[in-house]
Amino acid sequence: MSDLTDRPDLFVDGRWVAPRSGRRTAVREASTGLAFGLLGLAGPEDVDEAVRAARRAIEGPWSALSRAERAAMVRAFAAALRAAGKETSALVSRENGMPIRLSRIVNGLAPSAIAGYYGDLAAAEEEVDLRPSPTGGRTLVQRRPVGVVAAITPWNYPQALAVMKLAPALAAGCTVVLKPPPETGLDAFAFADAAIAAGLPAGVVNVVPGGREEGARLVAHPGVDKVAFTGSTGAGRAIGEMAGRLLRPATLELGGKSVSLIAEDADLDLVAARLAEISLPNNGQTCHAATRILAPRSRYAEVVEAVSETVAALSVGDPLDPATEIGPLVSEDQQRRVESYAELAATEGRVTVGGERHVGAGWFVRPTVVVDVQRDARIAQEEVFGPVLAVLPYEDEDDAISIANDSEFGLGGVVWSQDEERGLRLAGRIDTGTVGVNHYELHINAPFGGVKASGLGRELGPEGLDPYLVTRSVYLR
Ligand code: NAD
């Protein structure tokens, strides 16, 4: 294994290869802005070579293995990810500013857990599915790998979001070209290290960091059979258009602007205790973060006080310090973007916490709370992707649901009520792919994904395996 911060080469066809593009970039540390690593970047020829390698692997050694042999290799891949988890999680915190407490879970432990889960799931699939036909014949229903997968990922949860594609793809018998973004290209090579350690045949996993052009080339590449994408809604629309034209299946996990709906009978101590985890995970750089807080008019002042006091008390600092609750953002661009939203917030409501510019090293933005926000304000409609919360008053339950659903997005959401029945009833009226009652937690066993502009398809759970398989019916007498 090479030094984790020094990754000048790409991983293609089971080998470390110098980028044909000739491009390499310095990777900057979110908490200081200083260069701490070197990353090789793919160009068009590198993407093409990676797809060719993935095609050779699927037409050769990978399909020659039995399902049990493949599953054993996916489990070995999981074990290798687990062994590297501690170092990988620290690396991601340096790349994107994620507090280490969270990174240990989502970048340290989750990848191996998810890979192991899909290894087990594939091994447990029925070998033979023989169904009777109405006329006395039989039909063999087969589930076959969809083929070469283009996995395109964002920088916010780089390890978890990549493995949510890689693991089911490998378990299904597909091969993968993973294209992470430059911000978190370094950690993506943990998957190359794990592929080598697990003895995966050459070309089964290829890692080619790059930008939008390389992503677009992959999506349209004639050698690709399926696209698995997580990222912004804008990029998702472009990818969906191309995939539609090519009739190429695509899973799209996109943006969000989720609500935290506080019912009149909510336990505000519980809301406050879980606020950072549910509304500001990863410094707000989380697609499902519940950043629109809906407060009943009857308890509005109380909610504003609880939310403002909680956010003001969050510890902001070095993401590698286990005590840190809010770290820096991923880049200077992202810092500027989020600061512009904090400025906008001051014109669209009343800022109770934060709002001021951060001065000093690193790409920090002070956590900000803006209250008295109207439902159609930009700060209530657009995804900020940083530590900025909007509090909106509502009159009654119908009003709360109407505000909650007045969004182009439909990814997450949480309802707070001491009465679980009431919570469930309200949650049932929110138009999203996932929702929680006094709780919100993604996990291996349950499908995750959005509706409306938050995307198409699901990852995780048994449902997360399906997009990597196509069924074929073989009719027998
Ligand atoms: P982004 O869309 O800019 O980039 C994501 C990835 O797509 C990168 O690898 C990028 O290089 C690539 N890309 C960009 N444009 C492309 C195109 N036209 N064709 C092919 N590839 C392209 O997103 P980002 O800023 O890196 O990530 C933040 C976004 O991701 C937020 O909107 C967030 O909500 C979303 N996200 C969604 C989920 C989810 O599961 N729904 C999870 C995490 C993040």
Side-chain angles (χ1 to χ4, degrees):
M1 186 172 73
S2 56
D3 178 353
L4 296 185
T5 60
D6 186 26
R7 301 284 198 170
D9 293 337
L10 311 175
F11 186 67
V12 175
D13 205 14
R15 288 176 299 123
W16 298 102
V17 294
R20 292 174 184 217
S21 69
R23 287 163 60 210
R24 295 197 165 107
T25 186
V27 180
R28 295 186 181 280
E29 184 150 8
S31 62
T32 62
L34 301 176
F36 81 108
L38 181 68
L39 177 72
L41 288 178
E45 287 179 72
D46 301 295
V47 167
D48 294 353
E49 193 48 48
V51 175
R52 274 196 291 274
R55 276 238 83 81
R56 281 196 298 274
I58 204 160
E59 282 157 13
W62 193 230
S63 341
L65 295 178
S66 70
R67 187 185 301 167
E69 286 168 327
R70 268 203 316 262
M73 280 199 176
V74 176
R75 289 196 191 109
F77 181 71
L81 290 174
R82 171 145 198 131
K86 198 167 171 203
E87 284 184 309
T88 309
S89 55
L91 177 61
V92 174
S93 290
R94 298 181 74 186
E95 289 174 312
N96 74 1
M98 181 184 292
I100 190 73
R101 267 200 314 207
L102 177 62
S103 193
R104 287 257 157 84
I105 299 166
V106 297
N107 300 302
L109 299 173
S112 60
I114 293 171
Y117 172 83
Y118 282 108
D120 292 349
L121 206 64
E125 275 221 22
E126 290 291 327
E127 276 296 339
V128 180
D129 179 357
L130 195 61
R131 305 182 191 178
S133 83
T135 53
R138 298 149 303 150
T139 301
L140 193 56
V141 179
Q142 300 174 324
R143 301 230 296 164
R144 294 147 55 91
V146 68
V148 172
V149 173
I152 301 172
T153 48
W155 43 259
N156 62 335
Y157 288 77
Q159 286 282 307
L161 295 171
V163 85
M164 280 155 68
K165 299 160 182 56
L166 271 166
L170 299 183
C174 300
T175 58
V176 180
V177 178
L178 172 64
K179 193 217 71 67
E183 293 87 341
T184 50
L186 295 176
D187 72 86
F189 286 113
F191 297 111
D193 295 336
I196 294 169
L200 293 180
V204 171
V205 171
N206 305 274
V207 183
V208 287
R212 169 185 305 222
E213 292 73 24
E214 289 69 42
R217 188 169 184 95
L218 256 184
V219 170
H221 201 289
V224 164
D225 299 299
K226 183 207 156 45
V227 178
F229 172 75
T230 299
S232 60
T233 292
R237 285 190 204 281
I239 291 170
E241 275 176 28
M242 176 56 75
R245 196 169 327 142
L246 296 170
L247 296 178
R248 182 166 293 169
T251 314
L252 305 172
E253 298 283 2
L254 311 177
K257 186 80 186 181
S258 301
V259 291
S260 177
L261 195 173
I262 300 173
E264 265 186 326
D265 68 339
D267 173 355
L268 272 192
D269 291 340
L270 179 65
V271 174
R274 306 290 303 277
L275 185 77
E277 178 195 338
I278 284 182
S279 293
L280 292 170
N282 192 21
N283 321 325
Q285 300 175 130
T286 300
C287 51
H288 55 73
T291 52
R292 280 190 297 156
I293 298 176
L294 310 190
R297 186 74 75 186
S298 58
R299 298 183 70 189
Y300 187 65
E302 241 183 299
V303 172
V304 166
E305 191 182 338
V307 170
S308 304
E309 278 181 5
T310 306
V311 171
L314 292 173
S315 74
V316 181
D318 178 0
L320 293 174
D321 181 346
T324 292
E325 291 167 293
I326 301 284
L329 302 184
V330 67
S331 64
E332 194 173 359
D333 279 356
Q334 186 69 4
Q335 182 191 38
R336 221 176 284 127
R337 197 183 108 91
V338 174
E339 275 179 349
S340 76
Y341 273 107
E343 281 161 24
L344 174 73
T347 68
E348 292 191 321
R350 181 166 56 90
V351 173
T352 59
V353 182
E356 67 274 54
R357 238 199 111 84
H358 166 78
V359 184
W363 299 308
F364 290 88
V365 171
R366 274 188 48 77
T368 299
V369 177
V370 53
V371 305
D372 304 346
V373 173
Q374 299 295 311
R375 60 156 77 191
D376 56 355
R378 280 183 57 204
I379 203 74
Q381 290 290 334
E382 297 177 17
E383 185 181 46
V384 175
F385 230 53
V388 181
L389 300 182
V391 182
L392 294 79
Y394 70 82
E395 305 303 331
D396 55 25
E397 284 189 358
D398 286 347
D399 191 35
I401 295 298
S402 155
I403 297 172
N405 290 334
D406 186 2
S407 169
E408 67 164 319
F409 299 112
L411 189 56
V414 189
V415 178
W416 302 95
S417 167
Q418 295 194 53
D419 172 359
E420 195 175 83
E421 284 293 309
R422 181 183 188 181
L424 269 170
R425 184 168 45 74
L426 285 168
R429 297 176 65 193
I430 299 179
D431 197 9
T432 54
T434 64
V435 66
V437 178
N438 300 318
H439 187 64
Y440 187 90
E441 182 186 48
L442 272 68
H443 63 87
I444 297 176
N445 272 322
F448 174 81
V451 297
K452 303 198 282 185
S454 291
L456 292 173
R458 295 292 179 266
E459 294 188 319
L460 295 174
E463 292 83 355
L465 186 60
D466 295 342
Y468 298 95
L469 292 161
V470 278
T471 57
R472 182 169 74 156
S473 292
V474 183
Y475 305 116
L476 303 169
R477 285 179 53 116

